[in-house]
mmCIF file of all heavy atoms in Angstrom:
data_model
loop_
_atom_site.group_PDB
_atom_site.id
_atom_site.type_symbol
_atom_site.label_atom_id
_atom_site.label_comp_id
_atom_site.label_asym_id
_atom_site.label_seq_id
_atom_site.Cartn_x
_atom_site.Cartn_y
_atom_site.Cartn_z
ATOM 1 N N CYS G 1 0.832 -1.204 0.000
ATOM 2 C CA CYS G 1 0.000 0.000 0.000
ATOM 3 C C CYS G 1 0.866 1.253 0.000
ATOM 4 O O CYS G 1 0.610 2.200 -0.740
ATOM 5 C CB CYS G 1 -0.930 -0.017 1.212
ATOM 6 S SG CYS G 1 -2.106 1.355 1.261
ATOM 7 N N ARG G 2 1.906 1.243 0.827
ATOM 8 C CA ARG G 2 2.768 2.423 0.901
ATOM 9 C C ARG G 2 3.495 2.661 -0.417
ATOM 10 O O ARG G 2 3.614 3.806 -0.872
ATOM 11 C CB ARG G 2 3.786 2.257 2.030
ATOM 12 C CG ARG G 2 4.738 3.433 2.119
ATOM 13 C CD ARG G 2 5.591 3.406 3.350
ATOM 14 N NE ARG G 2 6.451 4.584 3.405
ATOM 15 C CZ ARG G 2 7.232 4.894 4.429
ATOM 16 N NH1 ARG G 2 7.255 4.112 5.498
ATOM 17 N NH2 ARG G 2 7.972 5.970 4.402
ATOM 18 N N ALA G 3 3.986 1.574 -1.029
ATOM 19 C CA ALA G 3 4.680 1.732 -2.306
ATOM 20 C C ALA G 3 3.753 2.335 -3.356
ATOM 21 O O ALA G 3 4.147 3.231 -4.109
ATOM 22 C CB ALA G 3 5.218 0.381 -2.774
ATOM 23 N N SER G 4 2.513 1.867 -3.405
ATOM 24 C CA SER G 4 1.560 2.399 -4.391
ATOM 25 C C SER G 4 1.190 3.847 -4.075
ATOM 26 O O SER G 4 1.074 4.675 -4.980
ATOM 27 C CB SER G 4 0.304 1.525 -4.424
ATOM 28 O OG SER G 4 0.587 0.259 -4.962
ATOM 29 N N ILE G 5 1.001 4.164 -2.797
ATOM 30 C CA ILE G 5 0.697 5.547 -2.420
ATOM 31 C C ILE G 5 1.844 6.472 -2.800
ATOM 32 O O ILE G 5 1.625 7.579 -3.321
ATOM 33 C CB ILE G 5 0.388 5.635 -0.915
ATOM 34 C CG1 ILE G 5 -0.979 4.989 -0.614
ATOM 35 C CG2 ILE G 5 0.388 7.080 -0.440
ATOM 36 C CD1 ILE G 5 -1.311 4.913 0.856
ATOM 37 N N ASP G 6 3.091 6.023 -2.577
ATOM 38 C CA ASP G 6 4.257 6.832 -2.957
ATOM 39 C C ASP G 6 4.221 7.139 -4.456
ATOM 40 O O ASP G 6 4.474 8.279 -4.880
ATOM 41 C CB ASP G 6 5.555 6.087 -2.617
ATOM 42 C CG ASP G 6 5.851 6.091 -1.123
ATOM 43 O OD1 ASP G 6 5.253 6.913 -0.401
ATOM 44 O OD2 ASP G 6 6.675 5.265 -0.683
ATOM 45 N N ARG G 7 3.918 6.138 -5.256
ATOM 46 C CA ARG G 7 3.932 6.315 -6.712
ATOM 47 C C ARG G 7 2.786 7.209 -7.172
ATOM 48 O O ARG G 7 2.950 8.029 -8.076
ATOM 49 C CB ARG G 7 3.861 4.949 -7.391
ATOM 50 C CG ARG G 7 5.146 4.140 -7.258
ATOM 51 C CD ARG G 7 4.967 2.672 -7.655
ATOM 52 N NE ARG G 7 4.511 2.517 -9.010
ATOM 53 C CZ ARG G 7 5.299 2.583 -10.098
ATOM 54 N NH1 ARG G 7 6.598 2.828 -9.944
ATOM 55 N NH2 ARG G 7 4.810 2.418 -11.306
ATOM 56 N N ILE G 8 1.623 7.068 -6.544
ATOM 57 C CA ILE G 8 0.480 7.921 -6.918
ATOM 58 C C ILE G 8 0.755 9.376 -6.545
ATOM 59 O O ILE G 8 0.527 10.296 -7.339
ATOM 60 C CB ILE G 8 -0.803 7.424 -6.233
ATOM 61 C CG1 ILE G 8 -1.182 6.041 -6.744
ATOM 62 C CG2 ILE G 8 -1.959 8.395 -6.483
ATOM 63 C CD1 ILE G 8 -2.266 5.375 -5.925
ATOM 64 N N VAL G 9 1.227 9.584 -5.329
ATOM 65 C CA VAL G 9 1.474 10.954 -4.851
ATOM 66 C C VAL G 9 2.565 11.624 -5.686
ATOM 67 O O VAL G 9 2.459 12.816 -6.019
ATOM 68 C CB VAL G 9 1.841 10.940 -3.357
ATOM 69 C CG1 VAL G 9 2.340 12.312 -2.910
ATOM 70 C CG2 VAL G 9 0.637 10.530 -2.522
ATOM 71 N N ALA G 10 3.609 10.873 -6.041
ATOM 72 C CA ALA G 10 4.674 11.451 -6.871
ATOM 73 C C ALA G 10 4.125 11.910 -8.219
ATOM 74 O O ALA G 10 4.444 13.010 -8.692
ATOM 75 C CB ALA G 10 5.791 10.424 -7.067
ATOM 76 N N LEU G 11 3.284 11.077 -8.843
ATOM 77 C CA LEU G 11 2.683 11.468 -10.121
ATOM 78 C C LEU G 11 1.768 12.672 -9.944
ATOM 79 O O LEU G 11 1.803 13.619 -10.745
ATOM 80 C CB LEU G 11 1.900 10.286 -10.696
ATOM 81 C CG LEU G 11 1.120 10.545 -11.991
ATOM 82 C CD1 LEU G 11 2.053 10.941 -13.123
ATOM 83 C CD2 LEU G 11 0.286 9.327 -12.382
ATOM 84 N N TYR G 12 0.958 12.652 -8.911
ATOM 85 C CA TYR G 12 0.017 13.758 -8.666
ATOM 86 C C TYR G 12 0.774 15.069 -8.433
ATOM 87 O O TYR G 12 0.420 16.118 -8.999
ATOM 88 C CB TYR G 12 -0.852 13.422 -7.454
ATOM 89 C CG TYR G 12 -1.773 14.535 -7.030
ATOM 90 C CD1 TYR G 12 -2.949 14.799 -7.733
ATOM 91 C CD2 TYR G 12 -1.476 15.333 -5.927
ATOM 92 C CE1 TYR G 12 -3.791 15.823 -7.348
ATOM 93 C CE2 TYR G 12 -2.313 16.353 -5.535
ATOM 94 C CZ TYR G 12 -3.468 16.597 -6.249
ATOM 95 O OH TYR G 12 -4.297 17.614 -5.866
ATOM 96 N N GLN G 13 1.826 15.034 -7.626
ATOM 97 C CA GLN G 13 2.577 16.255 -7.327
ATOM 98 C C GLN G 13 3.307 16.787 -8.559
ATOM 99 O O GLN G 13 3.379 18.006 -8.757
ATOM 100 C CB GLN G 13 3.555 15.981 -6.189
ATOM 101 C CG GLN G 13 2.883 15.769 -4.847
ATOM 102 C CD GLN G 13 3.847 15.413 -3.740
ATOM 103 O OE1 GLN G 13 4.954 14.909 -4.002
ATOM 104 N NE2 GLN G 13 3.458 15.657 -2.501
ATOM 105 N N ASP G 14 3.830 15.887 -9.383
ATOM 106 C CA ASP G 14 4.515 16.344 -10.601
ATOM 107 C C ASP G 14 3.531 16.973 -11.586
ATOM 108 O O ASP G 14 3.866 17.949 -12.269
ATOM 109 C CB ASP G 14 5.259 15.181 -11.255
ATOM 110 C CG ASP G 14 6.503 14.781 -10.477
ATOM 111 O OD1 ASP G 14 6.954 15.580 -9.634
ATOM 112 O OD2 ASP G 14 7.011 13.672 -10.695
ATOM 113 N N MET G 15 2.328 16.432 -11.671
ATOM 114 C CA MET G 15 1.323 17.047 -12.547
ATOM 115 C C MET G 15 0.846 18.381 -11.977
ATOM 116 O O MET G 15 0.578 19.320 -12.724
ATOM 117 C CB MET G 15 0.155 16.091 -12.754
ATOM 118 C CG MET G 15 0.502 14.916 -13.643
ATOM 119 S SD MET G 15 -0.928 14.000 -14.276
ATOM 120 C CE MET G 15 -1.668 13.423 -12.754
ATOM 121 N N GLU G 16 0.755 18.478 -10.638
ATOM 122 C CA GLU G 16 0.413 19.760 -10.027
ATOM 123 C C GLU G 16 1.489 20.799 -10.322
ATOM 124 O O GLU G 16 1.188 21.958 -10.588
ATOM 125 C CB GLU G 16 0.267 19.576 -8.513
ATOM 126 C CG GLU G 16 -1.032 18.926 -8.086
ATOM 127 C CD GLU G 16 -2.215 19.858 -8.245
ATOM 128 O OE1 GLU G 16 -2.217 20.917 -7.595
ATOM 129 O OE2 GLU G 16 -3.121 19.530 -9.042
ATOM 130 N N ALA G 17 2.760 20.366 -10.280
ATOM 131 C CA ALA G 17 3.853 21.291 -10.591
ATOM 132 C C ALA G 17 3.769 21.772 -12.035
ATOM 133 O O ALA G 17 4.003 22.949 -12.332
ATOM 134 C CB ALA G 17 5.201 20.612 -10.331
ATOM 135 N N LEU G 18 3.420 20.854 -12.955
ATOM 136 C CA LEU G 18 3.242 21.254 -14.352
ATOM 137 C C LEU G 18 2.103 22.246 -14.493
ATOM 138 O O LEU G 18 2.194 23.226 -15.233
ATOM 139 C CB LEU G 18 2.952 20.022 -15.213
ATOM 140 C CG LEU G 18 4.137 19.184 -15.700
ATOM 141 C CD1 LEU G 18 3.636 18.003 -16.498
ATOM 142 C CD2 LEU G 18 5.083 20.019 -16.531
ATOM 143 N N GLU G 19 1.008 22.007 -13.776
ATOM 144 C CA GLU G 19 -0.170 22.859 -13.880
ATOM 145 C C GLU G 19 0.099 24.252 -13.336
ATOM 146 O O GLU G 19 -0.325 25.255 -13.913
ATOM 147 C CB GLU G 19 -1.339 22.220 -13.123
ATOM 148 C CG GLU G 19 -2.659 22.950 -13.281
ATOM 149 C CD GLU G 19 -3.206 22.884 -14.690
ATOM 150 O OE1 GLU G 19 -2.945 21.889 -15.397
ATOM 151 O OE2 GLU G 19 -3.886 23.837 -15.099
ATOM 152 N N GLN G 20 0.828 24.320 -12.221
ATOM 153 C CA GLN G 20 1.042 25.608 -11.563
ATOM 154 C C GLN G 20 2.224 26.370 -12.138
ATOM 155 O O GLN G 20 2.153 27.576 -12.318
ATOM 156 C CB GLN G 20 1.257 25.379 -10.066
ATOM 157 C CG GLN G 20 0.031 24.808 -9.363
ATOM 158 C CD GLN G 20 0.321 24.432 -7.924
ATOM 159 O OE1 GLN G 20 1.406 24.703 -7.398
ATOM 160 N NE2 GLN G 20 -0.634 23.793 -7.269
ATOM 161 N N GLY G 21 3.302 25.626 -12.449
ATOM 162 C CA GLY G 21 4.510 26.321 -12.876
ATOM 163 C C GLY G 21 4.858 26.168 -14.324
ATOM 164 O O GLY G 21 5.898 26.642 -14.771
ATOM 165 N N GLY G 22 3.976 25.507 -15.104
ATOM 166 C CA GLY G 22 4.287 25.300 -16.508
ATOM 167 C C GLY G 22 5.562 24.505 -16.654
ATOM 168 O O GLY G 22 5.774 23.497 -16.005
ATOM 169 N N TRP G 23 6.451 25.006 -17.504
ATOM 170 C CA TRP G 23 7.717 24.321 -17.742
ATOM 171 C C TRP G 23 8.851 24.907 -16.910
ATOM 172 O O TRP G 23 9.990 24.482 -17.041
ATOM 173 C CB TRP G 23 8.099 24.457 -19.213
ATOM 174 C CG TRP G 23 7.211 23.743 -20.160
ATOM 175 C CD1 TRP G 23 6.139 24.268 -20.809
ATOM 176 C CD2 TRP G 23 7.308 22.384 -20.592
ATOM 177 N NE1 TRP G 23 5.568 23.326 -21.617
ATOM 178 C CE2 TRP G 23 6.269 22.156 -21.512
ATOM 179 C CE3 TRP G 23 8.177 21.339 -20.286
ATOM 180 C CZ2 TRP G 23 6.078 20.948 -22.130
ATOM 181 C CZ3 TRP G 23 7.985 20.124 -20.909
ATOM 182 C CH2 TRP G 23 6.948 19.932 -21.806
ATOM 183 N N SER G 24 8.546 25.895 -16.062
ATOM 184 C CA SER G 24 9.631 26.631 -15.423
ATOM 185 C C SER G 24 10.486 25.771 -14.538
ATOM 186 O O SER G 24 11.686 25.986 -14.406
ATOM 187 C CB SER G 24 9.049 27.797 -14.596
ATOM 188 O OG SER G 24 8.142 27.314 -13.629
ATOM 189 N N ASN G 25 9.892 24.746 -13.906
ATOM 190 C CA ASN G 25 10.685 23.926 -13.006
ATOM 191 C C ASN G 25 11.387 22.792 -13.743
ATOM 192 O O ASN G 25 12.003 21.943 -13.129
ATOM 193 C CB ASN G 25 9.783 23.323 -11.916
ATOM 194 C CG ASN G 25 8.669 22.482 -12.494
ATOM 195 O OD1 ASN G 25 8.203 22.762 -13.582
ATOM 196 N ND2 ASN G 25 8.247 21.477 -11.758
ATOM 197 N N HIS G 26 11.314 22.779 -15.076
ATOM 198 C CA HIS G 26 11.954 21.724 -15.829
ATOM 199 C C HIS G 26 12.988 22.270 -16.810
ATOM 200 O O HIS G 26 13.568 21.529 -17.557
ATOM 201 C CB HIS G 26 10.910 20.914 -16.609
ATOM 202 C CG HIS G 26 9.785 20.446 -15.742
ATOM 203 N ND1 HIS G 26 9.939 19.456 -14.823
ATOM 204 C CD2 HIS G 26 8.501 20.857 -15.646
ATOM 205 C CE1 HIS G 26 8.782 19.246 -14.195
ATOM 206 N NE2 HIS G 26 7.914 20.093 -14.679
ATOM 207 N N SER G 27 13.184 23.548 -16.824
ATOM 208 C CA SER G 27 14.112 24.130 -17.799
ATOM 209 C C SER G 27 15.043 25.135 -17.133
ATOM 210 O O SER G 27 15.440 26.105 -17.725
ATOM 211 C CB SER G 27 13.323 24.822 -18.922
ATOM 212 O OG SER G 27 12.358 23.973 -19.452
ATOM 213 N N GLY G 28 15.371 24.865 -15.898
ATOM 214 C CA GLY G 28 16.282 25.751 -15.199
ATOM 215 C C GLY G 28 15.737 27.139 -15.009
ATOM 216 O O GLY G 28 16.491 28.092 -14.852
ATOM 217 N N GLY G 29 14.434 27.322 -15.036
ATOM 218 C CA GLY G 29 13.823 28.632 -14.837
ATOM 219 C C GLY G 29 13.643 29.409 -16.127
ATOM 220 O O GLY G 29 12.960 30.418 -16.152
ATOM 221 N N GLU G 30 14.259 28.968 -17.258
ATOM 222 C CA GLU G 30 14.128 29.643 -18.535
ATOM 223 C C GLU G 30 13.295 28.776 -19.462
ATOM 224 O O GLU G 30 13.574 27.595 -19.653
ATOM 225 C CB GLU G 30 15.508 29.884 -19.160
ATOM 226 C CG GLU G 30 16.393 30.800 -18.339
ATOM 227 C CD GLU G 30 17.742 31.021 -19.010
ATOM 228 O OE1 GLU G 30 17.986 30.370 -20.039
ATOM 229 O OE2 GLU G 30 18.525 31.837 -18.512
ATOM 230 N N HIS G 31 12.274 29.362 -20.049
ATOM 231 C CA HIS G 31 11.448 28.611 -20.974
ATOM 232 C C HIS G 31 10.723 29.579 -21.895
ATOM 233 O O HIS G 31 10.665 30.775 -21.646
ATOM 234 C CB HIS G 31 10.453 27.718 -20.227
ATOM 235 C CG HIS G 31 9.442 28.494 -19.439
ATOM 236 N ND1 HIS G 31 9.761 29.161 -18.285
ATOM 237 C CD2 HIS G 31 8.117 28.711 -19.654
ATOM 238 C CE1 HIS G 31 8.676 29.750 -17.813
ATOM 239 N NE2 HIS G 31 7.672 29.496 -18.618
ATOM 240 N N ILE G 32 10.186 29.042 -22.966
ATOM 241 C CA ILE G 32 9.471 29.847 -23.953
ATOM 242 C C ILE G 32 8.108 30.224 -23.385
ATOM 243 O O ILE G 32 7.386 29.371 -22.867
ATOM 244 C CB ILE G 32 9.327 29.056 -25.261
ATOM 245 C CG1 ILE G 32 10.714 28.758 -25.847
ATOM 246 C CG2 ILE G 32 8.479 29.822 -26.265
ATOM 247 C CD1 ILE G 32 10.694 27.765 -26.993
ATOM 248 N N GLN G 33 7.773 31.498 -23.481
ATOM 249 C CA GLN G 33 6.497 31.991 -22.962
ATOM 250 C C GLN G 33 5.429 31.928 -24.050
ATOM 251 O O GLN G 33 5.622 32.432 -25.152
ATOM 252 C CB GLN G 33 6.653 33.446 -22.481
ATOM 253 C CG GLN G 33 7.653 33.639 -21.355
ATOM 254 C CD GLN G 33 7.128 33.124 -20.025
ATOM 255 O OE1 GLN G 33 5.926 32.946 -19.861
ATOM 256 N NE2 GLN G 33 8.028 32.903 -19.081
ATOM 257 N N LEU G 34 4.304 31.281 -23.715
ATOM 258 C CA LEU G 34 3.156 31.230 -24.622
ATOM 259 C C LEU G 34 2.066 32.144 -24.089
ATOM 260 O O LEU G 34 1.747 32.110 -22.899
ATOM 261 C CB LEU G 34 2.607 29.817 -24.729
ATOM 262 C CG LEU G 34 3.307 28.847 -25.693
ATOM 263 C CD1 LEU G 34 2.638 27.492 -25.615
ATOM 264 C CD2 LEU G 34 3.257 29.361 -27.122
ATOM 265 N N CYS G 35 1.498 32.962 -24.959
ATOM 266 C CA CYS G 35 0.384 33.811 -24.545
ATOM 267 C C CYS G 35 -0.597 33.918 -25.716
ATOM 268 O O CYS G 35 -0.311 33.487 -26.835
ATOM 269 C CB CYS G 35 0.882 35.189 -24.112
ATOM 270 S SG CYS G 35 1.745 36.107 -25.401
ATOM 271 N N HIS G 36 -1.766 34.495 -25.454
ATOM 272 C CA HIS G 36 -2.798 34.633 -26.478
ATOM 273 C C HIS G 36 -3.049 36.117 -26.759
ATOM 274 O O HIS G 36 -3.235 36.913 -25.836
ATOM 275 C CB HIS G 36 -4.089 33.962 -26.035
ATOM 276 C CG HIS G 36 -4.001 32.463 -26.045
ATOM 277 N ND1 HIS G 36 -4.309 31.706 -27.150
ATOM 278 C CD2 HIS G 36 -3.603 31.590 -25.083
ATOM 279 C CE1 HIS G 36 -4.131 30.424 -26.878
ATOM 280 N NE2 HIS G 36 -3.705 30.329 -25.627
ATOM 281 N N SER G 37 -3.042 36.444 -28.033
ATOM 282 C CA SER G 37 -3.242 37.825 -28.453
ATOM 283 C C SER G 37 -4.732 38.104 -28.624
ATOM 284 O O SER G 37 -5.541 37.193 -28.794
ATOM 285 C CB SER G 37 -2.504 38.070 -29.766
ATOM 286 O OG SER G 37 -2.869 39.306 -30.327
ATOM 287 N N HIS G 38 -5.085 39.368 -28.593
ATOM 288 C CA HIS G 38 -6.460 39.783 -28.869
ATOM 289 C C HIS G 38 -6.656 40.084 -30.355
ATOM 290 O O HIS G 38 -7.728 40.541 -30.757
ATOM 291 C CB HIS G 38 -6.816 41.026 -28.043
ATOM 292 C CG HIS G 38 -6.817 40.775 -26.571
ATOM 293 N ND1 HIS G 38 -7.709 39.923 -25.954
ATOM 294 C CD2 HIS G 38 -6.005 41.246 -25.596
ATOM 295 C CE1 HIS G 38 -7.470 39.890 -24.656
ATOM 296 N NE2 HIS G 38 -6.446 40.690 -24.404
#
């Protein structure tokens, strides 16, 4: 149970990091900025 919980939580936290920080935590803080124009 603990091994499975560890694996689930690790996946969940990494996806949360992607959602909140985009690519910033995976490219040394530098990454291409995407935005939408009017």
